[in-house]
Amino acid sequence: MNLIVLPLLLSSLAAPNVVLITVDTLRADHLGAYGFERNTTPNLDRLAAKSLLFEDMLCEQPQTGPSLIAMHASRLPRVTGAIRNGVPMPDGTPTTAMIFATAGYETAAIVSNWNLKPKLSNLQQGFAHYDADFGTGRFGKERHEMTADVVTNRALAWLAARDSARPMFFWVHYMDPHAPYLSKRGFADQLGQNDGKKRVDPPEERYQTEVAFVDQQIQRLLDALPKEDTYIVFTADHGEGLGEHGEWGHSRYLYQTTMHVPLLIHGPGIEAGRSKAPVRGVDIAPTLLNFAGIAPPASMIGVDLRRHPPESDTPRIVETYGGEVPRDEKVRETLATRPPQRQSIILSGWKLIANGDGQIELYNLAEDPGEERNLAADFPEKRDALLQQLNAWHEQTPRNQSTAKDLSEADLQRLEANGYL
């Protein structure tokens, strides 16, 4: 692994703390800072007001494992082979944690999704402390996730015990508001949902209470972080379909509901404001490393969003292979060779989706952000030009094959509980 570490990291006085906070299944359009009408995220909205907010951030794939592996490795899912949940990245793939550890940083992660277990993701590499122990529930079985309050409690405990003489790279991943959406008590008044009912029934409203709950718990974490020489990056692994396009959940489709996620950057020297730059998940790792003066390795394809955000005419190509993890190992091996279910290219406000059945969709996101009017037949030249560019990328970008291995019955049960089988 060819890593370049600049000399300034030899001194803890010169090296800042770097904190990455990610939330599972969080749509950008459900934060007040992104225009949501209900008061779901008062704490994150306050952070957004003093941060650089990116309005057009896309995840690399609407699935937890592939998205977060791409985020930490700054490599496409098809390149690492981690194209589905439960498929780990290869050993030795350079990641943020590995590089920060080499630079002398104290590295730690608290994660709360079963797909981030070491065996299923391999993201533990480089972390001196990788907390993926979800505790036990009834009958002594390990829980399939940690709720946001438990995640924050674990994070605060690590912060209190850490070696404060060294700079830290700290990643905290929250599972809420992932399905099944559970109504969190105490948020009905805040969200304007208190209409006399004893409980919140619609799933989209239960989802909103979970967003409010994780916002509350993130504030506890923010309050505990060092106030000086600390950079904070906040984002999500993917969004969530809440009935739009007939989709509940994520993984199969490439609409903005599951692709568009929030992104806030806060820290020394970062001027508050909003950016329309077309950014994506692979840009996170180079940005985190450059906060600390570390040059990303050549394997990382993203850009430093602080100094070199993408130009407005930068194309972004995403794809999905389906999120379910088959129970049968032979089926898992077969799926590793199959083509993507869907691919999409987004360029200068236009979005084309190529479906595996040959159907083409074309949307003008500026005029139709809900992707309700398919313009493929109305703009054949635009459709064909984007499709040609997508096909050229597909032919020129290598795809490596990997597959989930050694999944125990406990793994399969927890994945099923989260809707991944």
Side-chain angles (χ1 to χ4, degrees):
M1 182 172 58
N2 184 21
L3 304 182
I4 302 174
V5 180
L6 299 188
L8 65 85
L9 293 183
L10 298 178
S11 167
S12 61
L13 296 176
N17 300 305
V18 180
V19 179
L20 173 64
I21 303 172
T22 55
V23 176
D24 218 294
T25 325
L26 180 61
R27 293 168 55 142
D29 64 3
H30 273 57
L31 279 70
Y34 285 81
F36 196 56
E37 68 278 3
R38 285 184 165 171
N39 190 27
T40 47
T41 53
N43 298 299
L44 286 170
D45 295 344
R46 283 192 292 271
L47 177 64
K50 55 185 180 180
S51 302
L52 177 58
L53 179 151
F54 289 88
E55 297 179 350
D56 189 11
M57 163 69 171
L58 296 182
C59 66
E60 292 302 334
Q61 202 170 312
Q63 298 160 18
T64 298
S67 174
L68 290 171
I69 290 171
M71 194 179 295
H72 280 278
S74 189
R75 304 182 77 180
L76 299 174
R78 65 156 48 199
V79 173
T80 63
I83 58 172
R84 286 186 177 81
N85 284 318
V87 179
M89 66 180 177
D91 290 337
T93 303
T95 63
T96 49
M98 296 168 71
I99 296 168
F100 274 115
T102 300
Y105 268 66
E106 189 173 13
T107 56
I110 315 291
V111 301
S112 53
N113 186 313
W114 197 274
N115 284 300
L116 302 178
K117 289 276 190 179
K119 182 168 58 177
L120 278 70
S121 70
N122 222 1
L123 277 171
Q124 81 288 349
Q125 297 179 91
F127 285 106
H129 178 79
Y130 192 85
D131 186 349
D133 179 3
F134 303 160
T136 56
R138 296 180 63 185
F139 311 114
K141 290 186 177 181
E142 186 174 4
R143 301 181 188 275
H144 61 272
E145 65 174 283
M146 276 192 280
T147 55
D149 53 339
V150 176
V151 172
T152 296
N153 289 344
R154 300 271 186 93
L156 299 188
W158 183 83
L159 286 169
R162 80 177 188 92
D163 180 5
S164 59
R166 297 170 59 198
M168 67 173 171
F169 171 58
F170 192 26
W171 172 35
V172 182
H173 180 76
Y174 290 91
M175 181 70 166
D176 318 74
H178 195 286
Y181 320 124
L182 303 176
S183 181
K184 294 295 193 294
R185 295 180 180 180
F187 294 100
D189 289 336
Q190 174 183 319
L191 298 174
Q193 296 178 349
N194 209 352
D195 58 1
K197 294 183 297 184
K198 292 184 178 180
R199 61 179 185 174
V200 179
D201 284 325
E204 62 271 22
E205 293 197 355
R206 297 200 301 271
Y207 175 87
Q208 292 165 20
T209 67
E210 291 213 294
V211 173
F213 176 59
V214 76
D215 173 80
Q216 178 194 74
Q217 296 303 315
I218 288 173
Q219 185 59 46
R220 293 178 57 212
L221 172 61
L222 295 174
D223 288 342
L225 293 175
K227 298 302 182 286
E228 304 293 333
D229 298 323
T230 299
Y231 288 95
I232 300 170
V233 173
F234 170 81
T235 189
D237 59 350
H238 54 73
E240 183 80 334
L242 296 174
E244 303 90 348
H245 305 281
E247 180 184 24
W248 286 93
H250 52 275
S251 297
R252 296 179 182 84
Y253 299 105
L254 294 175
Y255 298 111
Q256 296 296 93
T257 49
T258 61
M259 297 301 302
H260 183 208
V261 295
L263 175 60
L264 310 176
I265 295 178
H266 173 72
I270 297 179
E271 185 176 350
R274 303 176 78 94
S275 170
K276 296 183 180 298
V279 301
R280 55 192 298 185
V282 292
D283 296 327
I284 298 298
T287 302
L288 295 169
L289 294 171
N290 275 293
F291 288 152
I294 303 175
S299 63
M300 292 190 170
I301 66 170
V303 299
D304 174 12
L305 296 177
R306 182 185 182 189
R307 296 182 175 87
H308 305 291
E311 299 293 333
S312 60
D313 59 351
T314 302
R316 289 171 293 175
I317 296 174
V318 295
E319 54 188 5
T320 185
Y321 293 80
E324 295 81 1
V325 180
R327 288 183 175 275
D328 187 87
E329 185 173 350
K330 291 183 178 180
V331 176
R332 291 199 295 269
E333 293 175 354
T334 300
L335 285 178
T337 66
R338 289 187 181 176
Q341 284 187 339
R342 290 173 178 84
Q343 294 177 306
S344 178
I345 179 170
I346 302 95
L347 176 61
S348 301
W350 288 89
K351 179 176 181 179
L352 179 141
I353 300 174
N355 296 281
D357 60 4
Q359 180 186 1
I360 302 297
E361 301 172 58
L362 179 68
Y363 301 101
N364 185 322
L365 294 179
E367 298 178 1
D368 180 24
E371 298 164 285
E372 297 176 351
R373 299 185 299 277
N374 184 358
L375 303 176
D378 300 321
F379 294 87
E381 292 184 1
K382 175 65 69 175
R383 175 199 65 205
D384 293 346
L386 289 174
L387 184 59
Q388 182 179 11
Q389 191 168 351
L390 175 61
N391 289 336
W393 173 89
H394 180 70
E395 294 297 325
Q396 296 166 6
T397 306
R399 179 181 160 192
N400 298 310
Q401 295 178 7
S402 183
T403 185
K405 298 178 180 179
D406 303 324
L407 295 181
S408 66
E409 185 59 33
D411 290 325
L412 294 170
Q413 290 176 1
R414 302 312 183 277
L415 290 171
E416 185 174 29
N418 281 334
Y420 290 128
L421 284 181

